[in-house]
Amino acid sequence: MTTSEKLIATEQRLGANNYKPLDVVLTRGEGVYVWDTDGNRYLDCLSAYSAVNQGHCHPKILAAMIEQAGRLTLTSRAFRNDQLAYLYEELAALTGSHKILPMNSGAEAVETAIKAVRKWGYEVKGVPEGQAEIIVCADNFHGRTLSIISFSTDPDARNGFGPYTPGFRIIPFGDAEAFAAAINDNTVAALIEPIQGEAGVIIPPAGYFTRIRELCTANNVTLILDEIQTGLGRTGKLLAEEHEGIEADVTLIGKALSGGFYPVSAVLSNSEVLGVLKPGQHGSTFGGNPLACAVARTAMKVLTEEGMIENAAAMGDYFLEGLRSMRSNIVRDVRGRGLMMAVELEPEAGGARQYCHALKERGLLAKDTHDHTIRLAPPLIISREQVDWAVSQIEKTIG
Ligand SMILES: *Cc1c(COP(=O)(O)O)cnc(C)c1O
């Protein structure tokens, strides 16, 4: 048995079976590339679901992590640390937010926002206790906790995990009139992804978010945008909301906030929503720890200073153009914004997973989603030559 076969067998024997990864065992990463235990190199076109936007093992983030890890890692929020204030200041300047709450995983940021808007609904909006409603969209993905899967429409994510958290109203994504009809006096918030990533990179119709923003403002509904995947440069802007010309009241970020080094997420708030949380009402042992703050500060610094967002815009256009000019009989649709892209295959093609497997054999790692779609999201530092190579491999695989 090779090393990778042994490791895979051990995982199968001892691990819970809640994932079905491609059978590639990675041991090293640098920039857009990762290497497996047999020494094969791959171009990473998933970027850990957009957590490594800055590229694997970015040397400056690594240096900041090592430096901070040797000095102070965790104090808990029982005491203060000398990194959190700087993270607040830098994130506020970068995003224009007024209040920030740091957490760890993306799901925790979503949970935090749900708690805060419910409380805001009771204390500020005057919704009767226990009646708060949050509007969400079908085919959403916001994480895996019980409350979040309570409003999932994916049977795999939801079935068998009840009883479910009430208080969510599900409407179709991209339909502003359905949204208008779902609002009532008890609606405290809308929780929406700017582009539905896990659903297969679904981009809403032009003008959708302008209308959502108007409806939220008119009805005193807090607009929460989950930018955990779309945010931090992925779509060619710092936040995907910029494509729509709107501003959310609450923005959720995570994933690339640490450049893939550490779980760091944050709730960014433009309104008074986070102001309702008082001491003792919410927290996390690791949230806002100095190691996380030092890593996130540097991850944001390299994202902006090294031109990654501009590169994502330029390379995203170039990559999409390449994908659209491929000769293939099994491509139903190519879509994307920035470097958040998807190639949807015809149903007769027999599922996207086999093509992801074939791409792996050619040295390109990508992930199938929803059976027929290949999602493509390389690190934002990808070059033209690397895009050319990726498109040629994809064309050879599905052409
Ligand atoms: C990944 C993701 C989450 C959940 O983040 P975790 O860190 O996995 O908990 C939430 N929302 C969106 C849009 C995501 O892509």
Side-chain angles (χ1 to χ4, degrees):
M1 274 216 249
T2 64
T3 305
S4 74
E5 282 166 350
K6 270 188 225 144
L7 294 171
I8 290 168
T10 305
E11 278 192 29
Q12 300 286 52
R13 190 160 50 83
L14 294 175
N17 202 20
N18 57 327
Y19 276 97
K20 191 178 164 219
L22 281 184
D23 282 335
V24 54
V25 181
L26 303 172
T27 185
R28 188 164 78 81
E30 189 184 323
V32 297
Y33 293 113
V34 287
W35 285 263
D36 70 13
T37 48
D38 300 323
N40 301 308
R41 187 183 81 169
Y42 303 90
L43 178 66
D44 182 359
C45 281
L46 182 64
S47 307
Y49 300 93
S50 295
V52 284
N53 283 359
Q54 297 88 338
H56 288 274
C57 298
H58 191 291
K60 286 184 185 158
I61 309 175
L62 176 65
M65 183 160 187
I66 291 171
E67 197 278 328
Q68 186 63 42
R71 209 149 53 78
L72 184 68
T73 56
L74 182 62
T75 58
S76 84
R77 299 285 302 275
F79 311 117
R80 298 182 190 270
N81 72 68
D82 68 358
Q83 292 296 307
L84 183 57
Y86 293 117
L87 177 67
Y88 284 160
E89 208 164 49
E90 290 160 16
L91 273 182
L94 187 64
T95 62
S97 323
H98 303 150
K99 285 268 178 214
I100 299 166
L101 198 157
M103 294 294 282
N104 312 286
S105 67
E108 286 175 302
V110 176
E111 289 274 347
T112 302
I114 292 171
K115 284 176 70 175
V117 291
R118 281 180 166 186
K119 203 155 194 294
W120 171 85
Y122 302 131
E123 293 182 1
V124 181
K125 185 167 177 172
V127 171
E129 184 62 35
Q131 301 296 307
E133 282 185 18
I134 298 173
I135 299 174
V136 297
C137 291
D139 300 320
N140 67 73
F141 183 83
H142 297 287
R144 298 294 196 167
T145 62
L146 276 172
S147 289
I148 294 172
I149 60 98
S150 293
F151 56 85
S152 174
T153 57
D154 173 357
D156 282 339
R158 186 174 193 271
N159 289 2
F161 301 120
Y164 301 108
T165 305
F168 301 96
R169 189 178 276 252
I170 303 169
I171 55 157
F173 181 66
D175 181 347
E177 291 325 302
F179 184 85
I183 296 175
N184 63 41
D185 290 346
N186 295 337
T187 308
V188 296
L191 168 62
I192 314 182
E193 298 158 85
I195 295 172
Q196 288 190 322
E198 298 311 296
V201 187
I202 310 299
I203 301 172
Y208 173 62
F209 276 105
T210 322
R211 183 82 182 113
I212 296 290
R213 177 67 274 180
E214 280 167 9
L215 288 163
C216 285
T217 304
N219 294 282
N220 199 18
V221 169
T222 304
L223 177 57
I224 310 168
L225 288 184
D226 180 346
E227 296 244 23
I228 292 167
Q229 188 165 146
T230 53
L232 308 181
R234 174 52 57 190
T235 69
K237 303 267 190 201
L238 179 71
L239 295 174
E241 68 173 20
E242 295 169 46
H243 292 288
E244 314 290 343
I246 61 150
E247 273 185 42
D249 300 304
V250 174
T251 301
L252 310 178
I253 55 173
K255 293 201 166 113
L257 182 52
S258 71
F261 278 79
Y262 200 83
V264 188
S265 65
V267 179
L268 309 174
S269 170
N270 246 348
S271 64
E272 290 311 303
V273 172
L274 281 178
V276 301
L277 295 177
K278 297 288 173 320
Q281 296 175 347
H282 190 62
S284 158
T285 303
F286 278 80
N289 76 70
L291 185 56
C293 292
V295 165
R297 290 180 64 200
T298 312
M300 292 305 93
K301 200 166 143 96
V302 302
L303 186 77
T304 50
E305 286 183 358
E306 297 182 10
M308 292 180 190
I309 303 172
E310 295 77 6
N311 194 61
M315 289 304 110
D317 287 347
Y318 185 62
F319 208 140
L320 270 180
E321 204 179 290
L323 292 172
R324 290 201 169 111
S325 65
M326 288 188 309
R327 280 178 299 272
S328 167
N329 294 324
I330 59 168
V331 173
R332 166 176 265 199
D333 188 29
V334 170
R335 55 183 174 265
R337 192 163 274 168
L339 283 168
M340 186 169 185
M341 302 167 291
V343 176
E344 185 179 335
L345 304 177
E346 296 289 356
E348 307 83 73
R353 192 175 166 93
Q354 57 178 309
Y355 298 100
C356 290
H357 189 83
L359 284 168
K360 183 203 89 170
E361 298 298 306
R362 291 183 173 276
L364 188 154
L365 295 182
K367 175 76 173 79
D368 51 303
T369 184
H370 283 246
D371 295 348
H372 300 299
T373 304
I374 305 172
R375 175 220 317 252
L376 296 163
L380 309 187
I381 56 173
I382 195 167
S383 69
R384 271 180 98 87
E385 293 68 33
Q386 289 159 344
V387 171
D388 289 338
W389 181 85
V391 170
S392 74
Q393 299 312 309
I394 297 165
E395 183 162 29
K396 281 177 193 153
T397 304
I398 62 177

